[in-house]
Short mmCIF file of all heavy atoms in Angstrom, two decimals:
data_model
loop_
_atom_site.label_atom_id
_atom_site.label_comp_id
_atom_site.label_asym_id
_atom_site.label_seq_id
_atom_site.Cartn_x
_atom_site.Cartn_y
_atom_site.Cartn_z
N LEU A 4 121.17 93.37 99.10
CA LEU A 4 119.79 92.97 99.42
C LEU A 4 119.74 91.46 99.37
O LEU A 4 120.14 90.84 98.39
CB LEU A 4 118.81 93.57 98.43
CG LEU A 4 117.33 93.16 98.62
CD1 LEU A 4 116.81 93.70 99.95
CD2 LEU A 4 116.48 93.66 97.45
N ILE A 5 119.23 90.84 100.45
CA ILE A 5 119.01 89.42 100.47
C ILE A 5 117.49 89.22 100.44
O ILE A 5 116.77 89.71 101.28
CB ILE A 5 119.60 88.79 101.73
CG1 ILE A 5 121.11 89.06 101.86
CG2 ILE A 5 119.30 87.30 101.78
CD1 ILE A 5 121.74 88.62 103.19
N VAL A 6 117.06 88.50 99.44
CA VAL A 6 115.61 88.22 99.25
C VAL A 6 115.44 86.75 99.61
O VAL A 6 116.08 85.86 99.04
CB VAL A 6 115.19 88.47 97.77
CG1 VAL A 6 113.75 88.07 97.59
CG2 VAL A 6 115.44 89.93 97.43
N LEU A 7 114.52 86.48 100.56
CA LEU A 7 114.29 85.12 101.02
C LEU A 7 112.80 84.81 101.01
O LEU A 7 112.01 85.54 101.60
CB LEU A 7 114.85 84.95 102.46
CG LEU A 7 114.61 83.62 103.13
CD1 LEU A 7 115.36 82.48 102.41
CD2 LEU A 7 115.08 83.68 104.59
N ARG A 8 112.46 83.78 100.31
CA ARG A 8 111.07 83.29 100.40
C ARG A 8 110.97 82.42 101.68
O ARG A 8 111.89 81.68 102.01
CB ARG A 8 110.73 82.41 99.17
CG ARG A 8 109.30 81.91 99.19
CD ARG A 8 108.99 81.09 97.95
NE ARG A 8 107.63 80.55 98.06
CZ ARG A 8 107.18 79.60 97.28
NH1 ARG A 8 107.94 79.12 96.31
NH2 ARG A 8 105.98 79.15 97.47
N HIS A 9 109.84 82.54 102.36
CA HIS A 9 109.65 81.74 103.58
C HIS A 9 109.88 80.29 103.31
O HIS A 9 109.76 79.78 102.19
CB HIS A 9 108.25 81.98 104.15
CG HIS A 9 107.14 81.49 103.25
ND1 HIS A 9 106.80 80.15 103.12
CD2 HIS A 9 106.34 82.17 102.40
CE1 HIS A 9 105.82 80.04 102.27
NE2 HIS A 9 105.56 81.24 101.76
N ALA A 10 110.18 79.54 104.38
CA ALA A 10 110.39 78.12 104.27
C ALA A 10 109.04 77.38 104.09
O ALA A 10 107.99 77.97 104.20
CB ALA A 10 111.14 77.61 105.53
N LYS A 11 109.13 76.06 103.81
CA LYS A 11 107.97 75.25 103.55
C LYS A 11 107.00 75.25 104.70
O LYS A 11 107.34 74.97 105.84
CB LYS A 11 108.43 73.79 103.28
CG LYS A 11 107.33 72.81 102.99
CD LYS A 11 106.83 73.03 101.60
CE LYS A 11 105.82 71.94 101.21
NZ LYS A 11 105.12 72.28 100.01
N ALA A 12 105.73 75.58 104.42
CA ALA A 12 104.70 75.68 105.42
C ALA A 12 103.75 74.45 105.34
O ALA A 12 103.68 73.76 104.35
CB ALA A 12 103.88 76.97 105.24
N VAL A 13 103.04 74.28 106.42
CA VAL A 13 102.01 73.21 106.43
C VAL A 13 100.89 73.64 105.53
O VAL A 13 100.73 74.85 105.21
CB VAL A 13 101.48 72.98 107.87
CG1 VAL A 13 102.61 72.46 108.82
CG2 VAL A 13 100.82 74.21 108.45
N THR A 14 100.08 72.71 105.12
CA THR A 14 98.94 73.01 104.22
C THR A 14 97.91 73.89 104.93
O THR A 14 97.29 74.73 104.30
CB THR A 14 98.27 71.77 103.66
OG1 THR A 14 97.89 70.94 104.74
CG2 THR A 14 99.21 71.02 102.73
N GLY A 15 97.73 73.69 106.20
CA GLY A 15 96.93 74.59 106.99
C GLY A 15 95.41 74.48 106.73
O GLY A 15 94.73 75.49 106.77
N LEU A 16 94.98 73.29 106.46
CA LEU A 16 93.54 73.12 106.23
C LEU A 16 92.76 73.63 107.45
O LEU A 16 93.06 73.29 108.59
CB LEU A 16 93.18 71.63 105.97
CG LEU A 16 93.75 71.08 104.71
CD1 LEU A 16 93.48 69.58 104.61
CD2 LEU A 16 93.18 71.80 103.48
N GLY A 17 91.81 74.50 107.20
CA GLY A 17 90.99 75.06 108.28
C GLY A 17 91.63 76.28 108.94
O GLY A 17 90.99 76.85 109.83
N LEU A 18 92.83 76.64 108.57
CA LEU A 18 93.50 77.80 109.13
C LEU A 18 93.48 78.97 108.17
O LEU A 18 93.54 78.76 106.95
CB LEU A 18 94.99 77.48 109.38
CG LEU A 18 95.39 76.67 110.54
CD1 LEU A 18 96.89 76.41 110.52
CD2 LEU A 18 95.02 77.28 111.84
N PRO A 19 93.36 80.18 108.65
CA PRO A 19 93.58 81.30 107.75
C PRO A 19 95.02 81.25 107.19
O PRO A 19 95.93 80.80 107.88
CB PRO A 19 93.42 82.54 108.65
CG PRO A 19 92.68 82.04 109.84
CD PRO A 19 93.04 80.60 110.02
N ASP A 20 95.18 81.68 105.94
CA ASP A 20 96.49 81.56 105.31
C ASP A 20 97.57 82.23 106.13
O ASP A 20 98.68 81.69 106.25
CB ASP A 20 96.42 82.20 103.92
CG ASP A 20 97.75 82.13 103.20
OD1 ASP A 20 98.16 81.01 102.86
OD2 ASP A 20 98.40 83.18 103.06
N SER A 21 97.30 83.37 106.74
CA SER A 21 98.33 84.07 107.48
C SER A 21 98.74 83.36 108.76
O SER A 21 99.83 83.66 109.32
CB SER A 21 97.83 85.47 107.84
OG SER A 21 96.71 85.37 108.68
N ASP A 22 98.00 82.35 109.18
CA ASP A 22 98.32 81.60 110.40
C ASP A 22 99.07 80.30 110.14
O ASP A 22 99.43 79.62 111.08
CB ASP A 22 97.06 81.26 111.17
CG ASP A 22 96.40 82.52 111.78
OD1 ASP A 22 97.07 83.57 111.84
OD2 ASP A 22 95.20 82.43 112.10
N ARG A 23 99.35 79.99 108.89
CA ARG A 23 100.06 78.73 108.58
C ARG A 23 101.49 78.80 109.09
O ARG A 23 102.17 79.84 108.90
CB ARG A 23 100.09 78.52 107.04
CG ARG A 23 98.73 78.19 106.52
CD ARG A 23 98.66 78.11 104.99
NE ARG A 23 99.78 77.33 104.47
CZ ARG A 23 100.43 77.61 103.35
NH1 ARG A 23 100.09 78.67 102.63
NH2 ARG A 23 101.39 76.86 102.94
N THR A 24 101.92 77.77 109.76
CA THR A 24 103.27 77.70 110.32
C THR A 24 104.13 76.77 109.47
O THR A 24 103.63 76.22 108.48
CB THR A 24 103.22 77.20 111.78
OG1 THR A 24 102.59 75.90 111.79
CG2 THR A 24 102.47 78.13 112.69
N LEU A 25 105.36 76.59 109.83
CA LEU A 25 106.26 75.81 109.06
C LEU A 25 106.10 74.30 109.26
O LEU A 25 105.80 73.84 110.41
CB LEU A 25 107.70 76.18 109.35
CG LEU A 25 108.13 77.60 109.01
CD1 LEU A 25 109.59 77.80 109.27
CD2 LEU A 25 107.81 77.95 107.56
N ALA A 26 106.30 73.58 108.23
CA ALA A 26 106.37 72.10 108.31
C ALA A 26 107.74 71.72 108.86
O ALA A 26 108.66 72.59 108.93
CB ALA A 26 106.18 71.51 106.91
N ASP A 27 107.91 70.49 109.20
CA ASP A 27 109.23 70.00 109.74
C ASP A 27 110.35 70.34 108.74
O ASP A 27 111.40 70.81 109.14
CB ASP A 27 109.21 68.52 110.01
CG ASP A 27 108.33 68.19 111.21
OD1 ASP A 27 108.06 69.08 112.05
OD2 ASP A 27 107.95 66.99 111.36
N ARG A 28 110.12 70.06 107.49
CA ARG A 28 111.14 70.35 106.47
C ARG A 28 111.45 71.84 106.42
O ARG A 28 112.61 72.27 106.31
CB ARG A 28 110.68 69.87 105.08
CG ARG A 28 111.76 70.09 104.03
CD ARG A 28 111.27 69.64 102.63
NE ARG A 28 111.07 70.86 101.87
CZ ARG A 28 110.31 70.96 100.81
NH1 ARG A 28 109.64 69.91 100.38
NH2 ARG A 28 110.20 72.08 100.16
N GLY A 29 110.40 72.67 106.55
CA GLY A 29 110.60 74.09 106.55
C GLY A 29 111.44 74.57 107.71
O GLY A 29 112.35 75.45 107.56
N ARG A 30 111.23 74.01 108.86
CA ARG A 30 112.04 74.37 110.05
C ARG A 30 113.48 74.00 109.83
O ARG A 30 114.43 74.75 110.15
CB ARG A 30 111.46 73.73 111.30
CG ARG A 30 110.17 74.42 111.77
CD ARG A 30 109.76 73.98 113.17
NE ARG A 30 109.23 72.63 113.19
CZ ARG A 30 107.98 72.28 112.85
NH1 ARG A 30 107.13 73.22 112.47
NH2 ARG A 30 107.60 71.04 112.95
N ARG A 31 113.73 72.82 109.27
CA ARG A 31 115.10 72.41 109.00
C ARG A 31 115.80 73.30 107.95
O ARG A 31 116.93 73.74 108.13
CB ARG A 31 115.17 70.94 108.50
CG ARG A 31 114.90 69.90 109.57
CD ARG A 31 115.18 68.47 109.06
NE ARG A 31 114.45 68.14 107.85
CZ ARG A 31 113.24 67.61 107.82
NH1 ARG A 31 112.56 67.39 108.94
NH2 ARG A 31 112.64 67.33 106.67
N ASP A 32 115.04 73.61 106.86
CA ASP A 32 115.58 74.45 105.81
C ASP A 32 115.89 75.85 106.33
O ASP A 32 116.91 76.44 105.96
CB ASP A 32 114.61 74.53 104.65
CG ASP A 32 114.49 73.25 103.88
OD1 ASP A 32 115.29 72.31 104.09
OD2 ASP A 32 113.53 73.13 103.05
N ALA A 33 115.03 76.40 107.16
CA ALA A 33 115.25 77.77 107.70
C ALA A 33 116.50 77.80 108.56
O ALA A 33 117.33 78.69 108.44
CB ALA A 33 114.04 78.28 108.42
N ALA A 34 116.63 76.83 109.43
CA ALA A 34 117.82 76.77 110.30
C ALA A 34 119.11 76.63 109.47
O ALA A 34 120.11 77.28 109.76
CB ALA A 34 117.69 75.65 111.33
N ALA A 35 119.05 75.79 108.43
CA ALA A 35 120.21 75.59 107.58
C ALA A 35 120.54 76.86 106.77
O ALA A 35 121.73 77.17 106.59
CB ALA A 35 119.96 74.42 106.60
N THR A 36 119.54 77.59 106.41
CA THR A 36 119.74 78.86 105.68
C THR A 36 120.44 79.88 106.60
O THR A 36 121.35 80.58 106.19
CB THR A 36 118.43 79.39 105.16
OG1 THR A 36 117.94 78.44 104.21
CG2 THR A 36 118.64 80.77 104.44
N GLY A 37 120.02 79.94 107.85
CA GLY A 37 120.70 80.80 108.84
C GLY A 37 122.15 80.42 109.00
O GLY A 37 123.05 81.27 109.05
N ASP A 38 122.43 79.10 109.09
CA ASP A 38 123.81 78.60 109.19
C ASP A 38 124.59 79.06 107.99
O ASP A 38 125.76 79.54 108.15
CB ASP A 38 123.84 77.09 109.29
CG ASP A 38 123.28 76.58 110.58
OD1 ASP A 38 123.13 77.29 111.57
OD2 ASP A 38 122.92 75.34 110.63
N TRP A 39 123.99 78.95 106.80
CA TRP A 39 124.69 79.32 105.58
C TRP A 39 124.99 80.84 105.54
O TRP A 39 126.10 81.24 105.20
CB TRP A 39 123.83 78.92 104.35
CG TRP A 39 124.54 79.15 103.09
CD1 TRP A 39 125.37 78.33 102.39
CD2 TRP A 39 124.50 80.38 102.29
NE1 TRP A 39 125.85 78.89 101.27
CE2 TRP A 39 125.32 80.19 101.20
CE3 TRP A 39 123.85 81.60 102.46
CZ2 TRP A 39 125.50 81.17 100.21
CZ3 TRP A 39 124.04 82.60 101.49
CH2 TRP A 39 124.89 82.36 100.38
N LEU A 40 124.02 81.66 105.94
CA LEU A 40 124.24 83.09 105.98
C LEU A 40 125.40 83.47 106.91
O LEU A 40 126.25 84.29 106.56
CB LEU A 40 122.95 83.80 106.41
CG LEU A 40 121.86 83.88 105.35
CD1 LEU A 40 120.53 84.31 105.98
CD2 LEU A 40 122.23 84.80 104.20
N ARG A 41 125.41 82.86 108.10
CA ARG A 41 126.48 83.15 109.03
C ARG A 41 127.83 82.68 108.48
O ARG A 41 128.84 83.39 108.57
CB ARG A 41 126.19 82.50 110.38
CG ARG A 41 125.12 83.26 111.22
CD ARG A 41 125.01 82.69 112.63
NE ARG A 41 124.56 81.32 112.63
CZ ARG A 41 123.35 80.89 112.42
NH1 ARG A 41 122.37 81.75 112.20
NH2 ARG A 41 123.04 79.60 112.43
N ALA A 42 127.87 81.48 107.90
CA ALA A 42 129.10 80.93 107.36
C ALA A 42 129.64 81.78 106.21
O ALA A 42 130.88 81.81 105.96
CB ALA A 42 128.90 79.50 106.88
N HIS A 43 128.81 82.48 105.51
CA HIS A 43 129.20 83.29 104.39
C HIS A 43 129.24 84.81 104.72
O HIS A 43 129.29 85.65 103.84
CB HIS A 43 128.32 83.05 103.17
CG HIS A 43 128.54 81.71 102.55
ND1 HIS A 43 127.96 80.55 103.03
CD2 HIS A 43 129.36 81.35 101.55
CE1 HIS A 43 128.37 79.53 102.34
NE2 HIS A 43 129.23 79.97 101.42
N ASP A 44 129.28 85.11 106.01
CA ASP A 44 129.40 86.50 106.51
C ASP A 44 128.33 87.39 105.86
O ASP A 44 128.62 88.49 105.41
CB ASP A 44 130.78 87.01 106.21
CG ASP A 44 131.11 88.23 107.09
OD1 ASP A 44 130.51 88.36 108.17
OD2 ASP A 44 131.92 89.08 106.65
N LEU A 45 127.08 86.89 105.82
CA LEU A 45 125.98 87.62 105.25
C LEU A 45 124.89 87.88 106.29
O LEU A 45 123.70 87.90 105.95
CB LEU A 45 125.41 86.85 104.06
CG LEU A 45 126.23 86.93 102.77
CD1 LEU A 45 125.75 85.95 101.75
CD2 LEU A 45 126.23 88.34 102.22
N VAL A 46 125.28 88.08 107.51
CA VAL A 46 124.28 88.45 108.53
C VAL A 46 123.85 89.87 108.27
O VAL A 46 124.65 90.79 108.22
CB VAL A 46 124.88 88.29 109.97
CG1 VAL A 46 123.87 88.77 111.02
CG2 VAL A 46 125.26 86.86 110.20
N PRO A 47 122.56 90.05 108.00
CA PRO A 47 122.06 91.37 107.65
C PRO A 47 122.08 92.38 108.82
O PRO A 47 122.01 91.98 109.96
CB PRO A 47 120.65 91.12 107.17
CG PRO A 47 120.24 89.85 107.79
CD PRO A 47 121.50 89.05 108.03
N ASP A 48 122.16 93.63 108.46
CA ASP A 48 122.10 94.73 109.46
C ASP A 48 120.66 94.98 109.88
O ASP A 48 120.41 95.49 110.97
CB ASP A 48 122.68 96.01 108.86
CG ASP A 48 124.13 95.81 108.47
OD1 ASP A 48 124.93 95.37 109.28
OD2 ASP A 48 124.41 96.08 107.27
N ARG A 49 119.70 94.60 109.04
CA ARG A 49 118.30 94.86 109.27
C ARG A 49 117.50 93.84 108.50
O ARG A 49 117.90 93.39 107.42
CB ARG A 49 117.95 96.28 108.81
CG ARG A 49 116.58 96.73 109.09
CD ARG A 49 116.62 97.75 110.26
NE ARG A 49 115.32 98.11 110.64
CZ ARG A 49 114.82 97.79 111.86
NH1 ARG A 49 115.55 97.13 112.70
NH2 ARG A 49 113.60 98.16 112.18
N ALA A 50 116.28 93.53 109.01
CA ALA A 50 115.41 92.62 108.30
C ALA A 50 113.98 93.20 108.21
O ALA A 50 113.53 93.84 109.18
CB ALA A 50 115.38 91.24 108.98
#
Side-chain angles (χ1 to χ4, degrees):
L4 178 65
I5 302 172
V6 177
L7 177 64
R8 181 179 175 194
H9 64 78
K11 181 75 174 166
V13 297
T14 55
L16 294 175
L18 285 175
D20 181 68
S21 62
D22 292 342
R23 292 173 46 217
T24 57
L25 296 183
D27 289 341
R28 184 182 107 201
R30 286 191 287 279
R31 287 190 305 272
D32 291 348
T36 298
D38 292 343
W39 185 89
L40 286 167
R41 284 187 299 282
H43 288 84
D44 198 26
L45 285 169
V46 174
D48 301 305
R49 186 107 185 113

